[in-house]
Amino acid sequence: MTDGQPITPDGQPIPDGQPTPDGHPTTSARRPAPSPGTTRPAPSPGTARPAPSPGTTRPAHAGEGAPHRLAPGGAGRAAADALLRAAGAVVPVVLPGEVPAVAVTHHAVLREVLAHPEVAKNACHFAALHDGTVPPGWPLTTFATVDGMTTADGADHRRLRGLVTQVFTARRVSALRPRVVELTAGLLDGLPGTAAADGTVDLRRHFAYPLPMSVICELLGVEAALRDRLHELSNLIVGTTGTAAEVQAANREITAVLGQVAESRRADPGDDLTSALIAAQEEDGDRLSARELVGTLLLMIIAGHETTLHLITNAVRALCTDRKQLALVRAGRATWDDVVEETLRHDSPVAHFPFRYPVRDLELGGTVVPRGTPMLASYSAAGRDPAAYGPDADRFDVTRRPATRHLSFGHGPHYCLGAPLARLEATVALEALFTRYPALDLAVPDAELPPHPSFIGNSTHVLPVRLTG
C-alpha cells in the first residue's frame, strides 16, 4: 500500500478505478475541484459540520470517499504524492492511531500556510490532543509537544529563535567548511574498506550518515561515543513504524542523554554550540530553560543530520539514475549547488512534516479546515507540483532555473536555521565523492531500494553502490 491510497474499512488498499465503500471510484476524478470563488470544508472524521450559506462554500459530503491513509513505511512516495496532489491542495488524511489530519500538497497553498498568521505551531491548538481522540502514548506526540522553537508561536518563538541565532550564526557555519572538507576526505579514504564480499558499499551508512552526524555532534560538543546511539534513537522518533512503547522509550533515553550533555557543558564549558546556548541571554537576562535547552539540542541533532543524510542519499540516487545530469555538472553547465537545490525540490528530504493548526476555521486552497486540525506540510508533494514547476516537474533536471523557489527548508518565521549548514555539507560531500570515485554507480536499480521507514523522512533505507562502477 502506498501513502495516500484509499482503503476499505478493514484497512485493505482499494485498487485504482474500483469503488470505495461509498460507491465512488478511487481515481482523483471522483472529487472535482470547487468552482472558482467557492470553498469546501475538509471532511473531519466523526465531526458534523453545518452547511454554510448558499453560494459561499460547498459543504463536505459524507460520500466524498475515504480519507487518504499515510503508509507508515514510506513506500511508493512519488506515486502517493501524485495521488495526494490530484485529490486537492488540502487533503484529509489519517495518521497512525486513527488520528484525522490534513496534508497540504500544492506549492502555493503550502507557502501560504507556512507563513499564515492564523496557523499555529503550539499544541495548545491541537484539538484532538485534548479531546481524547489521540490515543495514549501516540508515537507522534513528540512532534507536537517538544519544548523549543518548532512548537512555539509569536513572541515565544521569537525569543527562542533569537537566543539560538545569537550563537548559531552564518559566520560559525562558514567557519565549519575546512572541517567538513576534512571529514569528507577521511570518510572517502575509508570507503573501500567498508565493502561487502560482493564489492558493494552502503554509501548511506558509511558516508551520507557519518558526515552530517559528525559535524553536528562536534558543533554541539557531543562526544563521539554517543553518536551512533543518538542516530538510532532519532530514527525511532522520526520513523513512523515503531510501536508506541518503542518511541516513548526512545524519547526518554534521548532526553536523558542530551540532558547529560547539557549538564556536562554547563560544568565544563567549551568552544561548542551547547556551551554558547547555555551562556546566551537576552538583554533582560532571559535564558533558555533546562527543558528548552534539551528541546533545542534534540531539534538540532535530529534535523542536523537526518535531513542532510537524506539529501546526500537522494542526490546520489538521482545522479546515478540519470548520468546525463552528472555529465552536465562535469561539463560546467550546472554546479553542485544546482544539484543540491534540484534534489531538495525533486526529492525533498522531508515528505510530510508535522504539525501546524489553524486557530480558527480557515479557508485554504478552496477547502475550509476546521480549527485545531493537525496539518502536515507535504514538502515532497509540493516539490513536484506542476502548477509551480511546469509539466515536467517529475523530472530531475540540474539545469532547471525555476521562477518558484522550493519550500524544502520551509518558509516564513519557522524557516530552517540549519539550511546553510545542510547546503554546505551536501555540496562538499557530492563534489568530493564524484571526484574521488567518478565511476561510482548504484549496485541495484533505484526502484528496488527499500524506502526509509517513515512518512516524515523521505529517502531509501540503504544505498548500495560500486565505487568503480
Side-chain angles (χ1 to χ4, degrees), residues 94-114:
V94 177
L95 301 175
E98 304 303 306
V99 176
V102 298
V104 184
T105 66
H106 291 189
H107 176 96
V109 180
L110 179 56
R111 191 175 190 275
E112 177 188 3
V113 165
L114 295 176

Side-chain angles (χ1 to χ4, degrees), residues 77-356:
R77 174 77 64 215
D81 284 346
L83 184 64
L84 286 169
R85 276 194 310 272
V90 180
V91 186
V93 297
V94 177
L95 301 175
E98 304 303 306
V99 176
V102 298
V104 184
T105 66
H106 291 189
H107 176 96
V109 180
L110 179 56
R111 191 175 190 275
E112 177 188 3
V113 165
L114 295 176
H116 202 294
E118 293 180 295
V119 174
K121 294 278 282 180
N122 193 305
C124 70
H125 300 284
F126 189 173
L129 192 65
H130 306 292
D131 67 10
T133 302
V134 172
W138 192 47
L140 297 178
T141 298
T142 295
F143 288 95
T145 61
V146 64
D147 283 301
M149 292 181 291
T150 59
T151 57
D153 298 308
D156 191 33
H157 174 256
R158 289 191 293 274
R159 166 187 161 266
L160 291 168
R161 191 175 176 99
L163 287 167
V164 175
T165 54
Q166 279 186 36
V167 296
F168 191 40
T169 63
R171 177 177 297 179
R172 185 185 285 265
V173 172
S174 180
L176 289 171
R177 176 176 285 274
R179 182 56 177 155
V180 173
V181 170
E182 182 182 12
L183 286 168
T184 299
L187 291 169
L188 293 177
D189 289 343
L191 281 182
T194 68
D198 62 358
T200 62
V201 169
D202 184 351
L203 197 69
R204 181 177 172 89
R205 177 182 178 186
H206 297 293
F207 182 67
Y209 152 64
L211 175 61
M213 191 61 166
S214 297
V215 171
I216 194 62
C217 284
E218 287 187 6
L219 181 64
L220 293 174
V222 176
E223 59 186 271
L226 295 175
R227 294 173 191 174
D228 285 347
R229 184 56 182 160
L230 286 172
H231 175 60
E232 293 168 359
L233 294 171
S234 68
N235 265 343
L236 279 168
I237 293 168
V238 177
T240 48
T241 58
T243 66
E246 289 172 335
V247 176
Q248 285 179 309
N251 272 306
R252 287 193 297 269
E253 184 177 347
I254 201 168
T255 299
V257 170
L258 294 177
Q260 292 169 3
V261 169
E263 287 309 307
S264 175
R265 298 276 64 82
R266 198 183 303 276
D268 184 20
D271 185 23
D272 56 79
L273 195 59
T274 303
S275 298
L277 286 169
I278 291 169
Q281 59 181 321
E282 292 189 314
E283 292 181 2
D284 62 2
D286 187 29
R287 298 176 186 268
L288 293 173
S289 70
R291 287 174 60 89
E292 290 168 343
L293 177 60
V294 170
T296 300
L297 296 180
L298 176 62
L299 167 65
M300 299 186 81
I301 284 287
I302 294 179
H305 89 279
E306 291 276 355
T307 301
T308 310
L309 162 59
H310 297 335
L311 173 56
I312 294 172
T313 301
N314 293 352
V316 172
R317 291 166 49 220
L319 292 171
C320 289
T321 299
D322 184 356
R323 300 194 76 85
K324 291 180 181 179
Q325 301 299 314
L326 183 57
L328 289 170
V329 179
R330 288 174 170 157
R333 293 180 57 190
T335 67
W336 290 105
D337 288 332
D338 293 329
V339 172
V340 169
E341 296 308 311
E342 178 65 352
T343 303
L344 286 164
R345 178 203 71 83
H346 178 262
D347 208 4
S348 172
V350 178
H352 307 289
F353 192 76
F355 292 113
R356 284 173 166 81

Side-chain angles (χ1 to χ4, degrees), residues 1-27 30-31 45 62-72 80 83-84 91-100:
M1 181 173 68
T2 59
D3 298 19
Q5 185 172 1
I7 59 167
T8 65
D10 61 357
Q12 298 303 308
I14 303 172
D16 190 49
Q18 297 300 310
T20 62
D22 58 20
H24 290 78
T26 57
T27 59
R30 75 176 189 271
R31 295 183 60 191
E64 282 194 347
H68 295 253
R69 184 175 296 272
L70 297 182
L83 184 64
L84 286 169
V91 186
V93 297
V94 177
L95 301 175
E98 304 303 306
V99 176

